[in-house]
Amino acid sequence: MRLAELSKRSGVSAATIKYYLREGLLAPGRQINATTAEYDEDHLRRLRLVRALIQVGRVPVATAREVLKHIDDDSLGRTIRLGAALWALPQAPEPDDDDEEVRAAHREVEQVMERLGWSNAQALSTISPAHRSLVVAVATLRRLGYAWDAELMLPYAQLMHQAAVRDLDFVETQPSEAEKVETAVAAAILFEPVLRALHRLAQEEESARRYGFE
């Protein structure tokens, strides 16, 4: 397809596509002549991911480029490739390990992982941004007087594990390694708002069931 068709099918303006090409976020098309290139379905798929990262996720161009670099690095195994791509996304700040509540949060999170048998997550805990984000969130809750501990977290973690199984089952339906990782990254940007909205809708439904509308 030519640039105009790529623009029409993706919903991204031709000028923006040219910008993504200049910034290395999109591979060059196959050159037909000095002024015309042809693009394919891989370009369309990648363009949708770039759009999700930049327009929806508000990820800076340099960060998007880093994420895409990891997605395209076929020298890595799938777990490391996916982890590297997701970890390149903007993350929570490092927790202050001198803070008493941070230390307590670390202990509670560790208990959850031990009780669930998440040995792989434990092995990655020192470098995982998700682990860091959870510790920061739990420490903040505790600092504000909410006694959030392993016992309270455990059923939520079990539900999230079920969600993760469904996530990766969906990822497995993609035909290539790059598409599998792309799908997982897109899910991190696009599906998490869906999960938050479903959670709130479920709360509204359960509240109405328990307490009615009065």
Side-chain angles (χ1 to χ4, degrees), residues 141-163:
L141 283 166
R142 296 175 63 87
R143 197 174 294 113
L144 294 174
Y146 296 96
W148 200 254
D149 59 16
E151 204 63 40
L152 287 170
M153 271 189 285
L154 190 62
Y156 288 97
Q158 290 168 328
L159 289 172
M160 289 301 99
H161 190 213
Q162 293 177 34

Side-chain angles (χ1 to χ4, degrees), residues 66-94:
E66 182 74 11
V67 171
L68 297 173
K69 180 186 77 173
H70 293 304
I71 288 174
D72 292 334
D73 188 353
D74 56 11
S75 70
L76 301 174
R78 188 182 304 167
T79 296
I80 300 301
R81 192 174 182 179
L82 174 57
L86 291 176
W87 294 353
L89 294 170
Q91 305 292 342
E94 290 284 349

Side-chain angles (χ1 to χ4, degrees), residues 24-85:
L25 301 176
L26 196 64
R30 185 176 66 86
Q31 208 68 34
I32 297 174
N33 55 46
T35 59
T36 306
E38 190 172 58
Y39 303 91
D40 57 22
E41 295 297 321
D42 288 341
H43 288 93
L44 181 61
R45 190 186 73 245
R46 177 55 59 89
L47 191 52
R48 286 170 175 158
L49 177 59
V50 171
R51 189 181 185 191
L53 287 168
I54 294 176
Q55 296 183 14
V56 179
R58 305 297 181 188
V59 173
V61 168
T63 302
R65 192 185 299 112
E66 182 74 11
V67 171
L68 297 173
K69 180 186 77 173
H70 293 304
I71 288 174
D72 292 334
D73 188 353
D74 56 11
S75 70
L76 301 174
R78 188 182 304 167
T79 296
I80 300 301
R81 192 174 182 179
L82 174 57

Side-chain angles (χ1 to χ4, degrees), residues 115-149:
R115 292 175 64 175
L116 290 175
W118 287 3
S119 57
N120 295 311
Q122 285 179 297
L124 294 171
S125 63
T126 58
I127 59 173
S128 169
H131 183 275
R132 180 168 65 243
S133 295
L134 181 57
V135 168
V136 169
V138 172
T140 300
L141 283 166
R142 296 175 63 87
R143 197 174 294 113
L144 294 174
Y146 296 96
W148 200 254
D149 59 16

Side-chain angles (χ1 to χ4, degrees), residues 22 113 200:
R22 288 196 303 272
M113 292 193 294
R200 290 174 185 174

